[in-house]
Amino acid sequence: AAESEWVNQEISYWAANRDPKKILPVVTDGTFGWADDVMTGTAVPETLQGVLTEEPRWVDVRWAREEDQLDLQDPRFGDAVADIASTIRGVPKDELASEEVHQHRRTVRTAWAAGGLVTVLAIAAVGFGISSARNANEAERQAQRAEENAAEAQQNAAAEAAAREEAVRNAETAQQNAERADAEAQAARAAEALARSRELGTAAFETLEDDPELAALLALQAIDVAGSAVDQPAVVLNALRRAIQSDYLEWVLHPGQHEFSQLALSPNDSMLAAIDQGFVAMYRVPEGELLWTYEEPDSPDAFSLVVFSPDGTEVAVSIPDSVAWAFPGLPGIDEDERPARILFLDAMTGEINRSLEYPDCNDILVTDWSADTNEVVVTTGWEVCDREGTAGVWVEVLDAATLESRALIDAPNPDETAPQARFSVGGELVLLGYLGSDARVLSGEGYAEEEILEGLEGWGDVSPDGRLIAAFANNRPDDQVIYDRETGARADILPIPVFPSPPDPVAFSADGRRIAIQTEGRDTLIYDVETGREAFRLPSGAGGNPAFSSDGTWLYTSHRDGTIKAWNLEPKTVGATAVETFGSEVHVQGSPNFSVGDNLGSAFLLAAGPDGWMPSSLFFDVGTGERYSLVEGVWDAEVLSDGRFVAWSSSAEIVVYDPVTEETVAIAGCASADGEVCDDTGEPVPNLGFRVSLDGEEILVDDLETWWILGPDGITLEQGSFELPAQELIAYSDDWFLGAETNQEFVAIDRETGEKVAGIPVQQGNHGFSLDKSMVAFSEPEGIVVIQLGTWETTTIPAEIDRARGFGFSPSGRLLAIGDENKIVVLDIELGRPVQEIPIGGASAF
């Protein structure tokens, strides 16, 4: 019976619908017993376990298996039957035996009476025989009629069953029609939401250029309209992304009819020089105020490049002989009347301080000014210029003070295009811009020593410290390389969708961590140097020659539509909702910063008061973000499964606080006369700490030597018999404790035995749990470590995160968001890599 499916089902039914105390076990074989309030033995069915709360009355007839003949004359068998009968009837066994004697005597009397009655009836039967014969025919007729009635009743029952089946089919059809109608209504609502979302997304795109902030709000509204009923339309997501990027634009200058092709930022970030055909404009930045202009109204020559002196007092402007270059040999054109030249203008006034002419050249470019050596470098432009000792394409280094030549370097390349020369730290000169030949690094006396950088070709830039060289082949947009001169390593950045815009399309930030690329398309791209991933995509328009401010927060770009644009790259928050805003004298902090339940959440605050800092907890509505209450003297609140919070009180007690009723209950054993929490012996417990279990059902308190596990009502459920992790306990469940054993290792300890079941090599630091409490993530120098709780399987996701300041898992557990200094980094756990960066200032815990 213990293994019978039907017996177990019957016991389950009885336990659910009848009184379990009326279950009477009768044991015929196997073992059966009661120990520690639990049934034991092989004769106990599985479903009977836990049904009875006290030892039941049971009958042992296992001896009967050895008997050949059993009847009530056997005293043992009679006794067992009496046990069963007395239990079923609810009559004591001794009373049952007395009743049996009484019944026997009554049976004897009844037998004698029956004998006399039989005699009388026999006589009467003779008389009735004749009458019965007469009634037989009538009975036969009645039987036939009853049979006919039964057949009719059977027919009626069959018809009724058919009607019931038809009613069931009709009900099922009605249910299906209702479900189909509901599905169609949902589909219609989803289609309407999708159409409205696309409409708002299109409106966001149309508003981008004039009002990026409005575009972002329209895109956010489109996302809200679509909701979770449908996948977000691509037009909406693209509009939101471009709106956020466009919102970095601070101002746009339209200086006349000129198409500004190049610009330069002064070393102290205070002035911006921009040039175009016969025109130089100097602006104060970041305000964008025009300071002065320099023009050559009677000259057809178009200015090419401009660079600042290291002290910011002069700007060198390249002016090719544009007419001779564009129309070589044309009659009536005097190529030497205004040769290619360099003007050195006063940066504050725009007046000409000095100039240098190249009468034999049609096109020359001043490309850099060295702070180390006080030298200016000039190269041939887009046309060869014959000079002795060169093949027509050359680089010349000039003394910046005297403008005398210090070195003339032959720099041929297959396309005979303008070499790009950049000074590096330590008196080096890096030559780039070659399509079809390798970049070179020149150093030593007269720059005679040469290092070939094989496979590095195209336009580019050199990082301020001279360590990194970026090269972008204009004819191969997928081949974008950043070369580390110290290690020889190459980092490929994401493919650029369109060509960079020559001759000076890229620029490193001052710290070398970012690189900006202006393209011949509509966007300026900014990449993270270390990861090669895109950080910004600014919808700026085609142009070239970007320039970072020294702190990397501003980027200036020039464009072919005649505009200059200033971008403020400081983090922005779009569409965020603040739960509560406090003054500067309030700080959100503590451990944990936040604890969130089904309805209410808490945040730990420190507020400045007349008596110093007052710890408090802010309780807020999880669904709306609205403030519920701010309670002073209750902090470090962790939510329980019933919606209450475990917290410290101002009297240093551990309490359970109910924000709804405002009831506060001390839960740690007892309280001594001085208000300290006590252990089970009544002695005060020093340095008491607490931790709520992952399921929110238990509270662990400890004094670093002993620990207790309490229920939410404060009753002690378990007392420690072994040591917890030495440094920090971060979580526990029904099966294990997890905590830091050393600064370099976390350990998992079996809750029942105290034995170590896993050692996890992660450092103490910020961490966060998934919503279902199946995973925990830690920040490590090499990336983010994700641990599966229970199996202790560990995965490390490489990620460049400067300072992890909070962890948030997506509901599915696939994505992990981590707060950084100026952004939120989103990791895909399944793919094992970062997938998104969201710029936001001061991301903390979430």
Side-chain angles (χ1 to χ4, degrees):
E3 298 177 357
S4 168
E5 176 184 356
W6 311 110
V7 170
N8 278 276
Q9 285 188 9
E10 194 159 4
I11 292 173
S12 297
Y13 176 84
W14 189 275
N17 299 280
R18 298 289 188 272
D19 184 0
K21 294 181 179 180
K22 290 187 177 183
I23 295 176
L24 176 64
V26 179
V27 183
T28 63
D29 197 7
T31 60
F32 186 92
W34 181 271
D36 297 330
D37 297 333
V38 176
M39 282 187 184
T40 62
T42 60
V44 180
E46 180 181 351
T47 54
L48 196 56
Q49 293 285 7
V51 171
L52 302 176
T53 59
E54 58 186 22
E55 183 175 6
R57 183 174 181 179
W58 60 286
V59 180
D60 187 356
V61 293
R62 288 175 286 189
W63 55 268
R65 300 185 68 87
E66 305 298 327
E67 299 294 328
D68 297 329
Q69 183 68 31
L70 290 174
D71 57 40
L72 293 177
Q73 301 304 315
D74 188 327
R76 293 179 298 171
F77 188 72
D79 186 69
V81 172
D83 280 339
I84 296 172
S86 68
T87 301
I88 293 175
R89 297 179 61 184
V91 177
K93 189 165 65 174
D94 55 346
E95 294 181 12
L96 192 66
S98 299
E99 182 181 357
E100 183 181 354
V101 172
H102 175 72
Q103 290 286 355
H104 176 69
R105 291 173 179 172
R106 186 169 62 184
T107 300
V108 171
R109 289 195 300 270
T110 301
W112 281 106
L117 181 60
V118 167
T119 303
V120 175
L121 290 176
I123 297 171
V126 174
F128 286 126
I130 297 172
S131 178
S132 297
R134 287 197 298 266
N135 292 333
N137 291 333
E138 180 64 23
E140 184 177 353
R141 286 194 300 271
Q142 293 294 336
Q144 183 177 358
R145 183 176 299 172
E147 184 177 350
E148 291 173 353
N149 290 338
E152 183 179 358
Q154 187 175 3
Q155 291 176 354
N156 291 338
E160 184 179 351
R164 284 197 301 269
E165 291 179 359
E166 179 66 21
V168 170
R169 285 195 296 271
N170 290 339
E172 290 176 349
T173 301
Q175 177 67 21
Q176 292 172 355
N177 290 338
E179 291 176 353
R180 186 180 301 108
D182 185 58
E184 291 174 353
Q186 289 184 12
R189 288 194 295 270
E192 182 180 355
L194 181 61
R196 178 58 178 157
S197 179
R198 286 175 173 162
E199 184 179 307
L200 289 167
T202 301
F205 256 114
E206 293 174 350
T207 315
L208 270 174
E209 186 172 346
D210 296 330
D211 193 339
E213 184 176 358
L214 175 59
L217 294 175
L218 287 170
L220 288 170
Q221 185 180 359
I223 291 173
D224 184 61
V225 166
S228 60
V230 295
D231 291 335
Q232 295 294 339
V235 66
V236 174
L237 298 179
N238 290 337
L240 179 59
R241 177 179 175 83
R242 295 189 67 82
I244 293 173
Q245 301 286 15
S246 297
D247 201 33
Y248 289 101
L249 182 62
E250 288 292 323
W251 48 255
V252 180
L253 297 179
H254 299 270
Q257 301 300 315
H258 304 279
E259 295 183 2
F260 286 78
S261 57
Q262 301 295 320
L263 55 79
L265 186 64
S266 66
N268 65 358
D269 299 336
S270 64
M271 293 184 289
L272 182 74
I275 64 169
D276 195 13
Q277 179 176 347
F279 186 92
V280 180
M282 185 69 73
Y283 295 90
R284 189 189 309 279
V285 290
E287 299 86 355
E289 175 190 356
L290 179 64
L291 297 177
W292 54 261
T293 61
Y294 171 83
E295 294 186 74
E296 293 186 346
D298 57 344
S299 171
D301 294 341
F303 298 178
S304 294
L305 285 178
V306 58
V307 296
F308 271 92
S309 63
D311 61 6
T313 60
E314 278 190 314
V315 286
V317 181
S318 308
I319 307 178
D321 188 353
S322 301
V323 175
W325 178 31
F327 308 101
L330 187 67
I333 296 294
D334 184 359
E335 297 184 11
D336 294 328
E337 183 176 348
R338 278 199 170 176
R341 57 203 179 276
I342 299 173
L343 297 183
F344 292 85
L345 305 180
D346 187 291
M348 297 302 298
T349 65
E351 297 177 354
I352 299 176
N353 287 340
R354 50 204 176 123
S355 64
L356 180 66
E357 295 185 349
Y358 287 82
D360 297 327
C361 299
N362 292 329
D363 190 17
I364 52 94
L365 301 171
V366 55
T367 62
D368 205 0
W369 197 321
S370 169
D372 289 350
T373 58
N374 195 30
E375 294 175 326
V376 174
V377 61
V378 179
T379 74
T380 49
W382 298 96
E383 187 174 285
V384 297
C385 177
D386 294 330
R387 294 188 68 177
E388 185 177 352
T390 73
V393 178
W394 45 262
V395 173
E396 185 172 25
V397 180
L398 306 175
D399 183 297
T402 65
L403 300 184
E404 294 179 355
S405 179
R406 290 187 176 179
L408 181 64
I409 303 155
D410 190 23
N413 63 74
D415 289 343
E416 295 186 342
T417 52
Q420 192 179 26
R422 288 283 189 272
F423 285 112
S424 177
V425 293
E428 293 181 328
L429 188 64
V430 181
L431 303 185
L432 300 169
Y434 296 93
L435 304 180
S437 61
D438 299 321
R440 294 185 287 169
V441 179
L442 307 180
S443 59
E445 185 69 26
Y447 297 96
E449 300 177 15
E450 182 179 71
E451 176 188 357
I452 304 296
L453 303 180
E454 296 183 358
L456 197 65
E457 60 174 288
W459 307 103
D461 194 18
V462 180
S463 65
D465 62 2
R467 182 173 66 91
L468 302 176
I469 299 176
F472 304 88
N474 194 49
N475 60 341
R476 295 195 308 277
D478 285 345
D479 186 13
Q480 323 299 332
V481 176
I482 298 177
Y483 176 77
D484 190 322
R485 293 185 59 197
E486 291 183 0
T487 65
R490 296 168 180 263
D492 295 324
I493 70 171
L494 291 178
I496 297 176
V498 294
F499 297 138
S501 181
D504 207 1
V506 301
F508 277 100
S509 60
D511 59 9
R513 296 181 58 182
R514 286 178 172 172
I515 190 166
I517 309 167
Q518 282 196 256
T519 70
E520 294 181 353
R522 59 180 300 171
D523 296 327
T524 296
L525 310 176
I526 300 177
Y527 290 90
D528 182 276
V529 170
E530 294 296 326
T531 65
R533 296 192 63 82
E534 181 182 305
F536 297 92
R537 180 180 291 259
L538 307 176
S540 56
N545 191 222
F548 278 103
S549 64
S550 57
D551 61 3
T553 59
W554 287 83
L555 180 73
Y556 301 94
T557 56
S558 62
H559 303 277
R560 294 177 184 170
D561 62 357
T563 61
I564 300 173
K565 296 180 179 179
W567 308 84
N568 188 341
L569 303 181
E570 291 184 308
K572 298 181 183 298
T573 303
V574 177
T577 300
V579 172
E580 184 74 39
T581 301
F582 296 95
S584 60
E585 294 303 307
V586 176
H587 299 272
V588 179
Q589 63 176 54
S591 177
N593 292 10
F594 295 92
S595 184
V596 179
D598 293 335
N599 300 309
L600 294 180
S602 69
F604 175 42
L605 310 179
L606 279 179
D611 299 324
W613 291 99
M614 169 59 72
S616 304
S617 283
L618 166 71
F619 295 93
F620 55 90
D621 187 289
V622 173
T624 65
E626 295 181 359
R627 171 175 173 168
Y628 188 85
S629 62
L630 179 64
V631 183
E632 295 182 351
V634 173
W635 69 94
D636 268 8
E638 289 191 47
V639 70
L640 292 167
S641 60
D642 61 8
R644 296 182 298 164
F645 291 79
V646 182
W648 284 102
S649 73
S650 55
S651 59
E653 288 182 317
I654 299 174
V655 299
V656 172
Y657 173 72
D658 189 333
V660 178
T661 65
E662 299 185 353
E663 181 182 8
T664 302
V665 180
I667 54 93
C670 69
S672 62
D674 58 4
E676 291 185 292
V677 178
C678 308
D679 63 16
D680 291 344
T681 67
E683 294 297 324
V685 177
N687 302 319
L688 198 66
F690 75 88
R691 180 68 64 196
V692 174
S693 62
L694 291 181
D695 61 8
E697 298 287 342
E698 299 176 340
I699 307 159
L700 183 146
V701 296
D702 75 280
D703 64 354
L704 304 180
E705 294 181 358
T706 308
W707 51 270
W708 301 263
I709 291 181
L710 314 174
D713 52 5
I715 296 176
T716 300
L717 305 176
E718 183 179 342
Q719 185 166 344
S721 58
F722 52 82
E723 292 186 0
L724 294 178
Q727 299 207 14
E728 179 188 12
L729 178 72
I730 68 165
Y732 76 98
S733 72
D734 292 340
D735 302 316
W736 45 260
F737 298 103
L738 177 65
E741 185 64 30
T742 68
N743 288 334
Q744 302 294 325
E745 182 185 47
F746 273 76
V747 295
I749 296 175
D750 186 278
R751 177 164 167 173
E752 182 176 349
T753 65
E755 295 179 356
K756 176 180 174 180
V757 295
I760 307 163
V762 296
Q763 299 180 14
Q764 285 195 46
N766 289 331
H767 61 273
F769 293 91
S770 61
L771 297 179
D772 62 0
K773 302 300 190 294
S774 65
M775 293 182 288
V776 62
F778 290 86
S779 61
E780 289 283 285
E782 65 273 15
I784 301 300
V785 177
V786 179
I787 302 169
Q788 299 290 334
L789 297 175
T791 66
W792 313 114
E793 180 183 348
T794 302
T795 302
T796 299
I797 304 173
E800 191 74 22
I801 298 177
D802 294 329
R803 181 184 176 192
R805 302 177 66 178
F807 295 75
F809 283 84
S810 65
S812 68
R814 174 169 177 170
L815 300 178
L816 172 61
I818 302 166
D820 201 357
E821 283 290 346
N822 292 306
K823 60 183 178 296
I824 296 173
V825 180
V826 182
L827 310 178
D828 189 310
I829 298 174
E830 186 175 309
L831 297 178
R833 61 179 176 83
V835 293
Q836 188 179 9
E837 289 188 358
I838 304 169
I840 182 172
S844 185
F846 51 94

